[in-house]
Amino acid sequence: MNPHREIVIAGNWKMNTTPEEGVALAKSLIESLRRTPGVTVVICPPATHLGVIGGQLKSSSAELGAQNVHWEKSGAYTGEISAEMLLEVGCRWAIIGHSERRLYFGETDQTVNKRAHRALEAGLRPIVCIGETLAERESGQTFDTLRRQVQVGLEGLTLTGKGGLVIAYEPVWAIGTGRTATPEQAQEAHHFIRDLLAEQFSPQIAELTVIQYGGSVTAANAEELLTCPDVDGALVGGASLKIDSFLAIVQAAS
Ligand code: PGA
């Protein structure tokens, strides 16, 4: 963490909780969050919950995010959601290019780029996910992969640094596996990504852009990861579904 940068802790609920369970989870979060300032907290429930949780969050400091957003405003795109729809139910954020979208649903750096353009244009803050697979890490291709994902995924975007796009570095081998990157591995990748942003945009944008770590973040390892100078928050999957562990991660960040 760096005192000049925003800290963002986001919970990615993935395809978990029914609407009723989600409302209960959001309710306990809202009640407890009043005591945890200094961190931007975002929850990204499944699409079916967004309207009702958006209403709940009006009385909270936590913000609402979606797990995807399409690059067109409307049209014949069965199964997709537009930025306009998300904004109307209170979303301020959208996760884009999560590795599960890349792996199971054909998401590419090019579609990530289109989605990110649209999100920014519409006024949603994108959380663009990047990260290498285990095979890429083991064959020494981690930095090539990150370079490609940043170069293509963020191509042509107008970044503001503060209050805008967030990058989530999520090594694929660490997602849902219980195998977290060491603080050294996370810091090395985050520093590299910040250098890429400086090259592609400007040193100032690089300095202000939030880079979250994601991949098996828990209450037990959050603090050591968040202590790394270039780690500005976390994208939390499994541990965001339990109120105690998610709050402990928020607490570690504040
Ligand atoms: P995990 O998921 O915390 O369950 O590893 C993180 C993510 O996929 O964003």
Side-chain angles (χ1 to χ4, degrees):
M1 294 192 289
N2 172 317
H4 304 300
R5 275 192 297 271
E6 186 186 7
I7 301 163
V8 183
I9 303 291
N12 174 12
W13 294 7
K14 308 191 180 185
M15 197 174 72
N16 293 298
T17 72
T18 64
E20 199 176 309
E21 290 163 350
V23 164
L25 186 57
K27 184 166 179 276
S28 22
L29 180 72
I30 290 162
E31 283 166 6
S32 320
L33 260 185
R34 295 201 183 107
R35 299 184 292 274
T36 352
V39 181
T40 303
V41 178
V42 184
I43 54 173
C44 304
T48 45
H49 312 13
L50 290 174
V52 57
I53 294 183
Q56 286 177 286
L57 291 184
K58 280 186 185 149
S59 60
S60 160
S61 59
E63 299 180 6
L64 187 67
Q67 297 177 17
N68 200 2
V69 58
H70 196 259
W71 55 82
E72 292 292 345
K73 293 184 180 172
S74 62
Y77 300 99
T78 302
E80 293 280 334
I81 303 186
S82 73
E84 283 69 18
M85 297 169 190
L86 297 175
L87 287 162
E88 194 172 309
V89 294
C91 281
R92 306 224 14 228
W93 298 78
I95 298 172
I96 296 175
H98 190 279
S99 67
E100 288 148 18
R101 300 289 322 163
R102 294 177 189 257
L103 181 64
Y104 304 126
F105 303 101
E107 195 78 62
T108 63
D109 294 324
Q110 284 76 14
T111 54
V112 166
N113 184 251
K114 285 162 78 168
R115 293 182 198 276
H117 269 279
R118 181 71 201 114
L120 284 176
E121 187 185 285
L124 281 172
R125 295 185 68 180
I127 299 178
V128 173
C129 302
I130 60 173
E132 79 286 359
T133 62
L134 185 60
E136 286 165 338
R137 177 160 282 267
E138 286 178 342
S139 60
Q141 289 176 283
T142 297
F143 296 123
D144 291 341
T145 299
L146 295 178
R147 179 181 291 279
R148 190 201 70 233
Q149 289 174 332
V150 169
Q151 268 175 359
V152 182
L154 305 190
E155 194 184 340
L157 295 176
T158 305
L159 300 192
T160 51
K162 207 169 182 172
L165 177 137
V166 166
I167 293 179
Y169 168 62
E170 300 204 299
V172 179
W173 47 270
I175 296 177
T177 58
R179 187 178 160 192
T180 319
T182 63
E184 293 72 27
Q185 286 171 322
Q187 172 55 28
E188 185 188 35
H190 281 233
H191 189 77
F192 179 75
I193 294 163
R194 208 174 294 287
D195 281 349
L196 292 175
L197 293 175
E199 267 173 47
Q200 193 168 335
F201 298 94
S202 72
Q204 200 202 354
I205 295 289
E207 198 47 41
L208 290 172
T209 299
V210 170
I211 307 177
Q212 298 176 306
Y213 170 80
S216 298
V217 175
T218 64
N221 62 27
E223 196 167 332
E224 59 171 8
L225 286 161
L226 290 165
T227 310
C228 300
D230 285 294
V231 176
D232 313 311
L235 182 55
V236 186
S240 72
L241 295 168
K242 293 192 197 80
I243 192 69
D244 290 349
S245 53
F246 190 61
L247 284 175
I249 294 166
V250 173
Q251 200 76 53
S254 68

